Amino acid sequence: MRLLILGYSSIAQRRVIPAAATVEAIEQISIASKSRPEPAEGWPKRGRFFADYDSALRESDADIVYLSLPNAMHEYWVLAALAAGKHVVVDKPAMITLEASERAVEEARRTNRVLAEATIFGYHPHFGALQGFLAENGRLTHADAQFIIPPLPIANFRNHTELGGGCLLDMGPYAAALIRILGGGPPPQLSALPGSFHPETGVDMGFSVLARLANGGIFSGHFSFEGEYQNRLLIVTHSGSVTIERVFSPPADHRIEWRQRGRNGEKAVTFEAADHFACFLEAVTHAIAGGQYEAWYSDLLADAECRARIADALTSARA
């Protein structure tokens, strides 16, 4: 399969291209960028470089398009890539609104193509082990997530509403995906509290969410652009607990460590380093090869609906 990346972003350079280079099913990587010149040093599995997105979609023989563009550009280019007959992977959030997500999935179904949102953290192998832990230690009772980063430079697109910025759009996908993965379905109850707004641009800078999960557990999450760096997940069951650091953004060479507690004491469980971007792309290429697309549509829509519910709850809390 051949991959075309629309948008030579930092995440594309640091994580997507190196990960795609290790995926056996991806034989070629092409890049389209309006703002950056063709890299002089090249890139692995080098294909073509395009100076604009329209010509890239028109002229490229890529099977898969990976969109790494500001959030406000996602809907247009997702639909354009699907119209060009490409399978599509798009950085989170796939779309800004639930309605846009529904339109995009409808078009993906009509064209019989994958549409996958790159909410990647759950594809790390330790999440499979986490499901085993839950099965062995009684049902989930509580989960608490924290993903907090210091303020971003003012020029970062996440600070600008017109580019689809704000904490809910950037970090809401993490909350929604965790609620889906841990709860097994839409939460029957959900409330939220807003953080502050950016003093210059007015985008939302944080939120907290509290939800009753479909399986009866309680989820709390705290997400922010305005604090000391935090990146962890706590899982509590009837007979044990696990605390996981760097859960949302482990580097490719990072060995995830659990602090696991139970009736017999406490221990550290360390996992081999794994590139969750590569694991995600492996899953996408496997789905394309097998023609199995519905799970990707379902996850994208479930997370968009959950994020819309969080947005509604935040609006009510501000009223």
Side-chain angles (χ1 to χ4, degrees), residues 4 6 22 27 29 41 43 50 63 75 91 93 115 125 139 149 161-163 176 182 201 213 223 243 254 262 303:
L4 168 65
L6 290 193
T22 70
E27 60 197 56
I29 302 169
E41 71 279 7
W43 60 89
F50 299 89
D63 307 285
E75 182 176 7
D91 278 341
L115 175 57
R139 72 172 183 86
I149 62 175
T161 302
E162 69 276 12
L163 297 177
L182 297 175
T201 68
L213 300 177
F223 302 88
T243 302
H254 179 67
D303 291 358

Side-chain angles (χ1 to χ4, degrees), residues 19-30 43-48:
T22 70
V23 177
E24 185 175 354
I26 296 175
E27 60 197 56
Q28 185 186 84
I29 302 169
S30 295
W43 60 89
K45 297 184 178 180
R46 182 170 181 158
R48 295 181 62 184

